[in-house]
């Protein structure tokens, strides 16, 4: 196995071309072949740094086939680098199948770390960083998106999402429905680029901020959601009592009685019926 090659997973910039490490540049110059998500997109970066290494494509639609080809090349002693359009490969990007194939065949995969939008956003958003969930892209369809958000609503960790500009408003709206209008979120937009903006507020205010000036909805976004506080998580037994009572009385009465029985704050219980400002709970 001494003459086999190595696969390097190389992070590239997320906007600003200067955000690339010296080691990444050396690796991209030294390898025999670069596998790039989109060779045309990456040619700009490679040209900028005068890197003349030949490149082939590796994207979601040809990754299985390409992985076999790259494996053969590595077995013949060639060194290969994987890059994607921006940031760290495999992070909401192609490369997982390739890395798995190469490792399963006993060959070496080496990381060349660098930019990642999620980490750049997390390190500047002002939310807790000791524990976080990287969620990446939510499902594209609203119904599935709402379901996934519901599964995440009780998480106490900071949650990091990627989102495309054309789904941004729908996602913010669904977050408002599920997390309630008061949950604090941060929009990290166009990081490392000319119109870089990091804006944090309640979901309701962030929604207004985006609608107020539609140009704010353009660009690349990371959305970071503050984890819920432990006290805000309602015990399932409390929920059961509230549900049973509300079958036989108005929401207002059920909330008052549940609060008396369990000691849970009335406002917190109200939020179960009415998570946001647009809520029209008429049953009180
Ligand atoms: N692999 C990349 C990384 O390491 O961050 C992520 C690739 S994913 C296909 C692209 C998404 O990352 C965008 O839709 C956006 O949510 C986020 N993103 C990438 N560049 C960004 C930037 N400069 N500012 C904010 N978000 C960015």
């Amino acid at each position: 196995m001494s003459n086999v090659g190595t696969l390097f997973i190389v992070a590239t910039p997320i906007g600003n071309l200067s955000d690339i490490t010296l080691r990444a540049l050396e690796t991209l110059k030294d390898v025999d072949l670069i596998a790039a998500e989109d060779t045309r997109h990456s040619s700009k970066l490679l040209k900028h740094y005068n890197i003349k290494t030949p490149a082939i494509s590796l994207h979601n639609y040809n990754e299985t086939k390409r992985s076999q080809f790259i494996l053969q090349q590595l077995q013949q002693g060639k060194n290969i680098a994987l890059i994607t359009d921006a940031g760290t490969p495999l992070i909401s990007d192609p490369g997982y199948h390739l890395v798995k194939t190469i490792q399963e065949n006993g060959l070496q995969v080496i990381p060349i770390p660098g930019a990642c939008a999620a980490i750049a956003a997390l390190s500047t958003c002002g939310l807790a960083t000791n524990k976080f969930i990287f969620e990446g892209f939510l499902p594209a369809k609203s119904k599935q998106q709402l379901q996934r958000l519901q599964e995440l609503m009780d998480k106490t960790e900071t949650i990091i999402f990627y989102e495309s500009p054309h789904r941004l408003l729908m996602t913010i709206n669904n977050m408002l429905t599920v997390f309630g209008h008061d949950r604090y979120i941060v929009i990290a937009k166009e990081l490392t680029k000319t119109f870089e903006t990091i804006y944090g507020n309640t979901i309701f205010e962030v929604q207004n901020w985006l609608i107020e000036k539609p140009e704010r909805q353009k660009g690349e976004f990371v959305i970071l959601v503050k984890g819920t506080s432990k006290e805000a998580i309602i015990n399932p037994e409390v929920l059961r009592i509230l549900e049973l009572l509300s079958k036989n009385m108005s929401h207002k009465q059920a909330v008052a009685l549940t609060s008396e029985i369990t000691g849970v704050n009335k406002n917190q219980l109200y939020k179960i019926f009415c998570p946001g400002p647009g809520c029209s709970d008429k049953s009180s």
Side-chain angles (χ1 to χ4, degrees):
M1 286 296 243
S2 60
N3 288 333
V4 294
T6 299
L7 174 67
F8 297 91
I9 305 299
V10 182
T12 58
I14 56 168
N16 188 323
L17 286 186
S18 299
D19 290 332
I20 188 155
T21 67
L22 295 175
R23 197 163 159 239
L25 293 176
E26 278 162 21
T27 305
L28 293 174
K29 273 184 188 152
D30 289 350
V31 289
D32 300 291
L33 187 65
I34 296 173
E37 182 180 8
D38 178 346
T39 48
R40 264 182 40 196
H41 180 97
S42 294
S43 66
K44 198 175 148 205
L45 174 80
L46 300 177
K47 217 168 155 189
H48 183 81
Y49 286 107
N50 198 24
I51 295 166
K52 301 209 167 79
T53 311
I56 56 164
S57 72
L58 183 143
H59 45 68
N60 286 331
Y61 305 101
N62 71 359
E63 188 172 344
T64 312
K65 214 169 137 204
R66 277 287 196 245
S67 297
Q68 286 308 316
F69 172 76
I70 290 172
L71 175 64
Q72 285 162 12
Q73 295 295 305
L74 293 169
Q75 283 166 337
Q76 288 167 23
K78 302 261 168 42
N79 290 318
I80 299 181
L82 173 70
I83 58 173
T84 50
D85 290 354
T88 303
L90 281 85
I91 307 301
S92 295
D93 262 345
Y96 169 70
H97 184 81
L98 173 66
V99 170
K100 200 161 164 276
T101 305
I102 301 312
Q103 283 182 343
E104 278 170 2
N105 282 275
L107 303 192
Q108 215 183 358
V109 182
I110 290 183
I112 309 291
C116 174
I119 298 302
L122 182 67
S123 65
T124 47
C125 71
L127 295 175
T129 54
N130 54 337
K131 285 187 182 167
F132 60 89
I133 296 170
F134 174 67
E135 182 65 16
F137 289 99
L138 281 162
K141 296 218 171 91
S142 186
K143 193 173 160 216
Q144 283 90 327
Q145 196 181 89
L146 282 164
Q147 265 168 13
R148 184 61 194 144
L149 289 171
Q150 264 148 17
E151 287 162 11
L152 293 167
M153 72 181 279
D154 286 342
K155 299 289 180 198
T156 52
E157 300 90 347
T158 299
I159 314 170
I160 309 172
F161 299 91
Y162 283 163
E163 196 46 283
S164 70
H166 67 277
R167 278 205 293 268
L168 182 68
L169 275 190
M170 176 186 88
T171 299
I172 297 292
N173 202 38
N174 284 342
M175 285 180 171
L176 191 139
T177 305
V178 176
F179 297 145
H181 71 296
D182 284 339
R183 185 82 78 101
Y184 189 87
I185 65 169
V186 177
I187 297 280
K189 183 186 141 144
E190 293 287 273
L191 295 171
T192 76
K193 303 189 213 176
T194 313
F195 296 106
E196 179 178 80
T197 310
I198 298 168
Y199 177 70
N201 210 325
T202 63
I203 302 186
F204 182 65
E205 291 302 335
V206 167
Q207 189 183 46
N208 285 341
W209 181 79
L210 288 167
I211 294 169
E212 202 175 73
K213 289 195 179 154
E215 65 269 22
R216 288 179 179 152
Q217 297 162 32
K218 291 190 186 136
E220 296 200 278
F221 296 88
V222 181
I223 307 171
L224 304 103
V225 176
K226 185 174 178 192
T228 191
S229 60
K230 286 232 167 61
E231 310 81 65
I233 301 173
I234 310 266
N235 180 305
E237 189 54 22
V238 176
L239 274 181
R240 206 177 67 83
I241 295 170
L242 183 64
E243 233 173 76
L244 282 175
L245 291 176
S246 58
K247 279 184 189 156
N248 299 305
M249 56 187 76
S250 72
H251 285 169
K252 191 175 175 184
Q253 288 169 319
V255 163
L257 208 52
T258 308
S259 171
E260 212 174 305
I261 297 167
T262 63
V264 175
N265 181 288
K266 277 190 207 165
N267 287 338
Q268 217 179 324
L269 294 171
Y270 263 123
K271 279 188 187 158
I272 295 166
F273 294 121
C274 191
C279 167
S280 56
D281 178 17
K282 303 246 171 19
S283 61
S284 50

